[in-house]
Amino acid sequence: MKPYDYLIVGSGLFGATFAHLAAKEGKRCLVIDKRPQLGGNIYCEEQHGINVHKYGAHIFHTSNKQVWDFVNALVPFNRYTNCPVAEYEGKRYNLPFNMNTFYQMWGVTTPAEAQAKIEEQKREVAEAMAAQGITEPRNLEEQALLLIGRDIYEKLIKSYTEKQWGRACTELPAFIIRRLPVRFVYDNNYFNDAYQGIPIGGYNKLTEALLEGIECRTEEDFFARREYWESQAEKIVFTGKIDEFYDYRYGQLEYRTVRFEEETIDTPNYQGCAVVNYTEKQVPYTRVIEHKHFEDFGEAIYAKPKTVISREYSTEWAPGSEPFYPVNDERNSALYAQYKALADKETNVIFGGRLAEYKYYDMAPVIEQVLKHFC
Ligand code: UDP
């Protein structure tokens, strides 16, 4: 008999949740992570009393009550509501696309006026597409134009998306933009979900609660001692890159990475909200995160004299950098399908999370996925 039931490779949300639920069932679990700390990309580092999201901003949102109750039983969540702002050529626009945005863009004040404006813009696009025999949007550009029209596409979507993905909007899949709501009410809440928030005290509290009582070893690279690790457990839960698991035998999947330029500023409130997206081409970064706004509200903002911001620069992934976003274009989707076919044949390996499933996952669906293994 091997010493563990499960070796969990990677202590991010998938791995930590899996370990938590398996341990609850009495399974012997060992979690390994190559980083010096646990939590994967939800890890935060405290600076000046502020939890800095070291691997990119994470905002938990879901409509799944089971998932919401599950995380809140581990650590209560605060009332943070994501209301990002877009900046284009010095002007600010509310996101997601709603009556505030339409007012800022065109001066329209009623839903009927805004709808008429968008319909007029959409009609132009739909007619041009129909003339070419296109019935379904074939890429992100066509999808965005059909969803919201040319003005918003050109000012708030095109360059932001091209900076983020490093590819033309005509080469990106339509589904990426379907994440963004369009609404005819004055409502700047970015998500349509019933629940959202940040763990009180930061995401490390969630990681700690998930992994409480579970054997974890940091700075342990699965691939450095693969045979040894495989000999340790009956089953492996793998949350790393699926192409690496198979030694890149069909080729490398592509990812986008983000470089974070952090700065501490001697002011309590730098930009007035957590997220400002820079949607023009000339600004090299995609967005600026001001971390304290995730957890400090009202007077509490001014109780801390400094603030920490991160400018995000999106670049192509190369070995040595962090693979953050899978690039679900045609080439990569086809390549992933080949690896997935191998994974489906495995009886002792479970693949999960953004990297192992090569999927643009949010946090709540990751937990949903893990819960399915245990029901
Ligand atoms: N997007 C955009 N303009 C914005 C914000 C988002 O065009 O100001 C598009 C862009 O294509 C992006 C997608 O919407 O890739 C999803 O954005 P989201 O903010 O949900 O991405 P994440 O927070 O996961 O990076």
Side-chain angles (χ1 to χ4, degrees):
M1 198 163 107
K2 294 180 177 176
Y4 299 97
D5 294 306
Y6 289 110
L7 170 75
I8 293 132
V9 182
S11 64
L13 208 48
F14 191 97
T17 306
F18 195 101
H20 181 84
L21 294 173
K24 252 190 168 166
E25 285 188 349
K27 297 286 194 289
R28 299 159 304 153
C29 297
L30 171 63
V31 178
I32 60 168
D33 200 296
K34 65 180 174 187
R35 290 186 183 158
Q37 73 277 331
L38 301 168
N41 290 352
I42 65 174
Y43 171 72
C44 292
E45 183 184 274
E46 206 219 279
Q47 295 178 24
H48 309 285
I50 298 159
N51 287 315
V52 176
H53 296 214
K54 289 303 276 189
Y55 298 95
H58 282 74
I59 301 151
F60 200 96
H61 57 97
T62 184
S63 287
N64 182 324
K65 189 162 188 308
Q66 189 197 4
V67 169
W68 186 244
D69 289 345
F70 172 77
V71 292
N72 274 271
L74 295 163
V75 49
F77 276 55
N78 70 19
R79 60 96 169 147
Y80 175 76
T81 306
N82 196 30
C83 297
V85 175
E87 172 158 324
Y88 180 82
E89 294 185 348
K91 258 196 89 175
R92 297 248 162 158
Y93 299 88
N94 288 109
L95 294 172
F97 309 130
N98 75 90
M99 283 306 297
N100 289 306
T101 329
F102 308 143
Y103 174 65
Q104 292 147 349
M105 187 69 60
W106 300 307
V108 294
T109 55
T110 65
E113 283 175 290
Q115 267 155 345
K117 189 80 194 165
I118 288 172
E119 278 314 311
E120 173 196 313
Q121 298 217 342
K122 280 162 64 169
R123 201 173 321 120
E124 263 173 44
V125 176
E127 280 169 10
M129 278 168 58
Q132 295 173 58
I134 304 163
T135 48
E136 280 291 305
R138 295 167 303 178
N139 53 53
L140 192 149
E141 175 168 293
E142 290 177 359
Q143 176 68 68
L145 287 168
L146 282 176
L147 196 72
I148 199 75
R150 193 163 290 281
D151 286 349
I152 290 186
Y153 171 67
E154 282 180 356
K155 289 188 173 155
L156 303 183
I157 297 175
K158 187 174 189 296
S159 296
Y160 182 90
T161 303
E162 294 185 344
K163 281 195 289 186
Q164 178 172 0
W165 296 99
R167 284 156 179 77
C169 287
T170 48
E171 280 159 29
L172 287 165
F175 81 86
I176 293 178
I177 203 74
R178 286 190 213 119
R179 289 162 65 91
L180 289 186
V182 177
R183 41 173 107 101
F184 295 94
V185 285
Y186 288 92
D187 177 3
N188 298 329
N189 180 352
Y190 197 62
F191 301 117
N192 283 325
D193 286 315
Y195 314 104
Q196 68 180 296
I198 307 284
I200 293 175
Y203 278 97
N204 295 355
K205 297 255 181 243
L206 178 62
T207 303
E208 282 159 24
L210 284 168
L211 293 173
E212 200 191 329
I214 293 165
E215 188 179 343
C216 299
R217 297 194 210 156
T218 52
E219 293 179 277
E220 287 288 5
D221 184 350
F222 174 74
F223 295 108
R225 290 200 287 161
R226 185 169 185 157
E227 267 179 36
Y228 167 76
W229 292 119
E230 283 174 343
S231 73
Q232 293 300 294
E234 304 296 334
K235 285 195 179 205
I236 291 177
V237 176
F238 184 76
T239 72
K241 290 165 62 210
I242 190 167
D243 53 351
E244 189 174 12
F245 188 88
Y246 289 112
D247 213 10
Y248 304 106
R249 72 176 71 164
Y250 301 129
Q252 286 202 3
L253 289 163
E254 293 172 299
Y255 301 85
R256 295 293 287 171
T257 191
V258 183
R259 181 170 65 81
F260 301 99
E261 188 182 85
E262 247 172 57
E263 195 183 336
T264 300
I265 301 175
D266 223 349
T267 178
N269 186 6
Y270 170 71
Q271 63 181 15
C273 63
V275 184
V276 179
N277 292 353
Y278 286 81
T279 61
E280 67 195 83
K281 200 176 170 185
Q282 285 68 22
V283 178
Y285 40 86
T286 50
R287 59 188 173 193
V288 177
I289 304 295
E290 186 174 7
H291 299 269
K292 66 160 43 170
H293 293 296
F294 290 125
E295 295 183 60
D296 296 328
F297 310 112
E299 286 309 306
I301 295 167
Y302 295 91
K304 294 170 190 164
K306 290 181 197 287
T307 197
V308 182
I309 62 159
S310 305
R311 293 184 194 87
E312 296 190 2
Y313 296 83
S314 187
T315 56
E316 201 64 20
W317 177 82
S321 59
E322 297 292 343
F324 284 122
Y325 295 95
V327 181
N328 296 98
D329 60 9
E330 274 176 33
R331 176 200 172 262
N332 287 294
S333 302
L335 187 53
Y336 170 66
Q338 287 183 280
Y339 286 118
K340 171 87 167 63
L342 295 179
D344 286 343
K345 287 194 213 114
E346 303 279 356
T347 47
N348 290 326
V349 188
I350 295 165
F351 293 85
R354 259 197 194 197
L355 300 178
E357 294 180 66
Y358 200 67
K359 191 168 171 190
Y360 188 10
Y361 263 130
D362 287 329
M363 285 180 283
V366 167
I367 292 181
E368 250 170 58
Q369 238 0 73
V370 182
L371 287 170
K372 278 190 202 149
H373 285 279
F374 290 89
C375 59

